């Protein structure tokens, strides 16, 4: 491409669109399905159930410590499939680009998507590009949709949760939100905060392959917008149970705790991009936890509480000093455009 | 919802997001898969191949004669599946909303999507909502991805095109672009132009069910951005054949022709949202054409030319007065944000 910046004509469907597709998207994402350059990818899946999901990404800034909008767009959709008990296989990628965006910057995002997809063993097989006029976007928005294969008899569903189950959190919370906040506001912390942005499908695969894991893992969800607290409330409401969690068991990095004290944020409501909550039958909880701790993205996994039957739909936090505080789902907005 | 306008908190992942999902999206799109409100839909598909596609929609204005961004987002993705020989089954819907958008306006769009999906017998089973600050969007962008079932042994692919095949166009061209143009510019024509925005899957189903249709229909594509000319050039290049089309055979409404003369646009490059091009084996062409003419969105279908072998990769227009003019793919931009 001779152009340095994105022009409206890159979204015309004509020669410049074609060149952008061939010289950037196809070059980086290259695979036989995409190479056909049809408006749809056609492929076979093994018989059984599939999972289907979508997310749009509008995070600002586009690049942040530990990731960028491209890595986020691939990991986020992988994770929505993974917590549904699926093995992620195929992604779509759709770009809404603001006129004037540096093509070099777009290329960095696309390369990051390609690398993340490759490492996660998923293929980006179909896509779309639109360009909007200056002032009608914010450089780049990305949508990814994804298809995964559910090869397990029992896929996790919050309706399966019952009193006696155990609540497992896969690691430290708040890292993503605080990384974005410090980058956005130019705050300097003692230790640089990195987003936890990561694909969790290998972690969930190990969890589900524990003997009886398919039945024992009642529900899983990645704790993105709204944080751990919002996921727990949604699970408690859906399953008509109550959740009790212990504050002292919740893994939070010292630097995140410090940033939260400074900013007034509660880590339980902060977005994560590489953490999940699993509700697991008590008799399999230790085994599931062990399977997680052996995985790169589960080393800090911990049991943080239990499911009870009193006061259905509530979540209680037992604080370090012994108080019991009910958790509400997130009201208002902690940090806009976190993902 | 008490709010009249979209707030940043509607994208927080907390209470307002939940309320928007339950009281708007779920209410309008209601179906058992979406009702679970998980971050992914899990379902079974019949064994065989599937088609997977995505498109983002940034059309302006949001409402235009004959359609709106919501109808477009459903039809466009249905059509990308249909021309791949698939029966569209499941869609995702992802919304990027600008802070301050009237919720009533969003509701009209969502209702239009729901109606279009219902009429087309597809389900919207998973979704996402993001909100960006004022001035970082243009009220509403929508992404739809889709999954369809390819139950035919042979799915259309431009690589199958060969000399001797016949070029069929499903109806009049330029209607969508001229409807948008006149709406945008406030131009008054003698007869109001309506977008041709329509789902084409029933048309393609009939075409493929002609005896031997699966083999006879070599390639199909809907002629959206870049218009008929761009699709034909892409087909000719992919199949290393040449295409010859007759200007007098191409259906163009009188009002579109008039608007083109006024504005300097060439209808062959204008976007359509309910028209497809099919390349069909000569011996089945009449039968395929007949099957189209019996369908609501194919009544004006016509054979407009033939595939030849000389000068591979070129498309020649034989004009009414007998000149032969080569068609290039669209360069530059005719009308930005047409879809």
């Amino acid at each position: 491409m001779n152009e340095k910046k994105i022009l409206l004509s890159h979204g015309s469907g004509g020669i410049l669109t074609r060149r952008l597709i061939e010289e950037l998207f196809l070059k980086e994402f290259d695979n036989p399905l995409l190479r056909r350059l049809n408006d749809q990818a056609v492929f076979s899946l093994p018989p059984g159930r599939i999972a289907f999901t979508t997310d749009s990404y509008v995070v600002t800034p586009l690049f942040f410590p530990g990731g960028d909008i491209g890595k986020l767009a691939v990991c986020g959709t992988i994770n929505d499939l993974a917590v549904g008990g699926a093995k992620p296989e195929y992604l779509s990628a759709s770009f809404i680009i603001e006129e004037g965006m540096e093509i070099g910057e777009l290329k960095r995002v696309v390369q990051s998507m390609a690398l993340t997809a490759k490492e996660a063993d998923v293929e980006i097989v179909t896509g779309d590009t639109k360009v909007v006029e200056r002032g009608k976007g914010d450089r780049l928005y990305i949508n990814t949709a994804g298809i995964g294969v559910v090869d397990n008899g029992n896929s996790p569903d919050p309706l399966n949760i019952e009193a006696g189950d155990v609540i497992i959190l896969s690691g430290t919370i708040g890292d993503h939100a605080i990384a974005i906040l410090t980058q956005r506001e130019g705050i300097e912390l003692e230790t640089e905060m990195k987003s936890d942005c990561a694909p969790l499908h290998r972690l969930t695969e190990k969890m589900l392959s524990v003997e009886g894991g398919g039945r024992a893992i009642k529900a899983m969800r990645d704790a993105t917008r709204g944080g751990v607290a919002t996921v727990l409330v949604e699970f408690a409401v859906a399953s008509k149970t109550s959740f009790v969690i212990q504050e002292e068991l919740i893994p939070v990095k010292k630097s995140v705790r410090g940033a939260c004290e400074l900013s007034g944020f509660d880590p339980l409501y902060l977005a994560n991009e590489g953490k999940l909550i699993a509700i697991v039958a008590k008799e399999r909880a230790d085994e599931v936890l062990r399977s997680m701790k052996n995985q790169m993205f589960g080393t800090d996994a911990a049991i943080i509480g239990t499911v009870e039957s009193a006061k259905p739909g509530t979540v209680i936090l037992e604080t370090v000093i012994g108080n019991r505080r009910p958790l509400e789902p997130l009201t208002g907005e902690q940090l806009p455009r976190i993902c």
Side-chain angles (χ1 to χ4, degrees), chain A:
Chain A
M1 285 172 290
N2 300 322
E3 307 79 32
K4 290 236 160 77
K5 296 192 175 198
I6 290 290
L7 309 171
L8 280 176
S9 312
H10 282 112
S12 67
I15 282 184
L16 284 188
T17 306
R18 188 76 177 188
R19 209 178 285 160
L20 189 68
I21 291 169
E22 289 183 353
E23 295 176 20
L24 179 57
F25 299 119
L26 185 55
K27 191 163 163 248
E28 300 296 339
F29 296 151
D30 191 36
N31 60 64
L33 286 171
L34 190 63
R35 212 175 298 142
R36 302 175 89 101
L37 292 181
N38 290 338
D39 283 338
Q40 72 296 119
V42 175
F43 47 83
S44 294
L45 288 172
R49 288 179 305 162
I50 69 165
F52 178 36
T53 191
T54 187
D55 264 321
S56 289
Y57 297 85
V58 300
V59 66
T60 179
L62 296 179
F63 301 90
F64 47 82
D68 57 77
I69 189 173
K71 184 179 177 187
L72 202 61
V74 173
C75 290
T77 290
I78 285 176
N79 293 348
D80 280 347
L81 295 171
V83 296
K87 181 178 184 300
E89 297 279 0
Y90 299 101
L91 299 191
S92 64
S94 179
F95 299 83
I96 299 176
I97 313 171
E98 187 185 6
E99 180 189 12
M101 184 184 187
E102 298 279 346
I103 290 181
E105 196 172 39
L106 179 61
K107 189 174 176 182
R108 279 174 63 202
V109 171
V110 171
Q111 286 175 331
S112 172
M113 293 180 80
L115 180 67
T116 309
K118 192 177 171 190
E119 287 177 352
D121 198 21
V122 300
E123 283 187 341
I124 296 169
V125 295
T126 190
D128 180 49
T129 309
K130 294 292 188 310
V131 179
V132 295
E133 309 91 328
R134 263 172 226 274
K136 300 293 184 189
D138 196 6
R139 292 196 292 173
L140 181 62
Y141 299 142
I142 300 178
N143 176 281
T144 48
I147 294 175
V149 174
V150 182
D151 61 1
N152 193 290
N154 244 13
S155 59
D157 192 309
L159 296 178
N160 299 331
I161 297 170
E162 55 194 341
D165 291 343
V166 163
I167 305 162
I168 299 179
L169 174 61
S170 69
T172 60
I173 60 173
D175 303 19
H176 175 71
I178 297 299
I180 295 280
L181 176 71
T182 52
Q183 168 86 351
R184 214 184 264 177
E185 308 289 336
I187 298 170
E188 300 221 347
L189 296 177
E190 260 176 66
T191 41
E192 189 198 44
M193 277 309 308
K194 273 194 180 170
S195 166
D196 59 349
C197 180
L200 298 178
H201 58 310
R202 294 196 177 103
L203 179 66
T204 55
E205 193 191 339
K206 289 290 176 191
M207 294 166 69
L208 287 164
S209 64
V210 161
E211 203 196 317
R215 274 177 185 281
I217 296 169
K218 309 292 187 75
M220 289 195 285
R221 193 166 294 169
D222 51 338
T224 57
R225 287 181 295 176
V228 166
T230 304
V231 173
L232 292 179
V233 173
E234 291 188 359
F235 277 179
V237 170
S239 60
K240 300 193 177 79
T241 61
S242 62
F243 284 29
V244 180
I245 59 171
Q246 269 71 46
E247 188 176 28
E248 64 189 341
L249 300 179
I250 299 166
V252 185
K253 282 188 181 136
K254 207 179 140 200
S255 50
V256 169
R257 203 178 293 281
C260 281
E261 278 163 17
L262 280 173
S263 59
F265 289 133
D266 181 341
L268 281 167
Y269 291 91
L270 289 179
N272 312 279
E273 291 294 343
K275 297 296 151 46
L276 62 82
I277 290 161
I279 313 299
V280 183
K282 191 176 164 50
E283 61 274 18
R284 290 274 178 240
D286 286 339
E287 213 176 334
V288 170
L289 185 66
R290 253 197 318 275
S291 78
M292 296 173 76
K293 284 180 153 301
N294 285 328
Q295 287 290 310
M296 191 180 358
F297 301 124
T299 47
D300 296 324
I303 292 174
I304 64 164
T306 50
V307 179
E308 303 191 353
S309 55
K311 293 197 187 168
T314 61
V315 178
I316 302 292
L317 175 73
E318 291 190 348
T319 66
V320 179
I321 56 167
N323 287 334
R324 286 170 67 91
R325 176 162 73 86
L327 295 180
E328 303 292 329
L330 177 64
T331 53
E333 172 67 276
Q334 286 223 18
L335 279 171
R337 294 181 60 191
I338 196 80
C339 61

